[in-house]
Amino acid sequence: MDTANLAAFLAVASSGSFSRAAEEMHLTQPAVSKRIAMLESQLDVRLFDRIGRHISLTEAGRALKPRAEDILNALTDTRRVLSNLSSRVEGQLTLATSHHIGLHRLPPVLRKYTRLYPNVALDIRFLDSEVAHEKVLQGDVEMAVITLAPDVEPPIMAMHVWEDPLEIVVAPDHPLAVGGPVSLAELAGYQAVFPGSNTFTHGIVWRLFESHGLRPMVSMSTNYMETIKMMVSIGLAWSILPRTMLDESVKVLRVFDVTLTRQLGCIWHSGRTLSNAAQALMDLLEDDA
């Protein structure tokens, strides 16, 4: 069974499209279709149902998917083990990170890393922290530098790197911007824009209000902190921003007995061998903590 055919199968299964799989693999669509046809011929089963432009996994395809992932992950892990024997820091490192961390935290670390290890080819993928978490779990990326989940569970391992204080912010001309500290109850009476409901940061803020028996009026949501900052600055709503993003376009609100923070760090899969390149980056992150 050709591993290239398995990789094509997983790309199509993940993307739900032969054309998108071809783009991801830098192949033509006929080449991807040929690999799937060869795999179906080898296994003597149909792996996808094709109805018009829509494709879906057959029962055989659903059974093959986790096994194909195990095979390719085992092969990748074997290559890392053998490569690590040389003790050289080289090769490709596939790293996922959130847009916020990639813009505001990682640049100094990566600048030092690329200077120390010029033979490493960095494949950096900017993803929401929650998506990056899943990509590490599935073995699609070797490690991720993200907002850490409140409860990290095996097989994912995590290393805390940065404490990221969060501030409640409004536009400078917002009604709450005048005067002293406000209560959570007062804040809950005004429109809010939150990070997406699937994000770890959303959960932190939502649980704060729930613990006081309150429900914030969330009128909008987006996963991009820069977009949240813009919407706050023009007076559409209040929100939460990392302290590293604050400037004169927003005003910090002091809220009675409220201190918010989130943990930023790196995660990896405990069942897979880290390459020398990944371990070297973890060492630099630990030094930066």
Side-chain angles (χ1 to χ4, degrees), residues 99-112:
H99 291 83
H100 173 72
I101 295 174
L103 289 172
H104 297 278
R105 297 283 189 169
L106 264 186
V109 177
L110 291 181
R111 189 179 300 114
K112 184 175 182 180

Side-chain angles (χ1 to χ4, degrees), residues 7-26:
F9 162 73
L10 288 177
V12 175
S14 175
S15 66
S17 164
F18 279 77
S19 59
R20 284 196 294 271
E23 290 174 9
E24 291 172 7
M25 300 185 73
H26 306 291

Side-chain angles (χ1 to χ4, degrees), residues 177-205:
V178 180
V182 301
S183 67
L184 275 181
E186 288 178 275
L187 196 59
Y190 288 85
Q191 296 288 337
V193 55
F194 269 24
S197 59
N198 63 322
T199 64
F200 300 142
T201 306
H202 177 101
I204 290 170
V205 186

Side-chain angles (χ1 to χ4, degrees), residues 49-109:
D49 284 326
R50 302 161 179 85
I51 304 174
R53 297 171 66 93
H54 179 73
I55 66 167
S56 60
L57 286 168
T58 63
E59 183 178 0
R62 290 192 296 272
L64 175 62
K65 187 172 181 291
R67 291 166 174 80
E69 290 170 342
D70 288 344
I71 290 169
L72 294 184
N73 285 332
L75 181 60
T76 300
D77 195 56
T78 300
R79 286 178 178 145
R80 285 179 187 148
V81 169
L82 297 178
S83 177
N84 286 354
L85 294 176
S86 69
S87 298
R88 293 194 297 268
V89 180
E90 58 187 15
Q92 179 170 290
L93 172 57
T94 305
L95 167 72
T97 189
S98 69
H99 291 83
H100 173 72
I101 295 174
L103 289 172
H104 297 278
R105 297 283 189 169
L106 264 186
V109 177

Side-chain angles (χ1 to χ4, degrees), residues 102-158:
L103 289 172
H104 297 278
R105 297 283 189 169
L106 264 186
V109 177
L110 291 181
R111 189 179 300 114
K112 184 175 182 180
Y113 183 83
T114 54
R115 187 172 66 250
L116 290 172
Y117 308 110
N119 294 325
V120 175
L122 283 172
D123 177 8
I124 303 176
R125 304 181 187 182
F126 290 91
L127 304 168
D128 292 342
S129 292
E130 300 71 28
V131 175
H133 187 280
E134 286 302 308
K135 292 293 186 182
V136 172
L137 191 60
Q138 296 163 8
D140 294 335
V141 298
E142 187 173 358
M143 63 183 295
V145 184
I146 58 172
T147 301
L148 299 178
D151 299 302
V152 179
E153 298 180 352
I156 295 297
M157 303 294 289

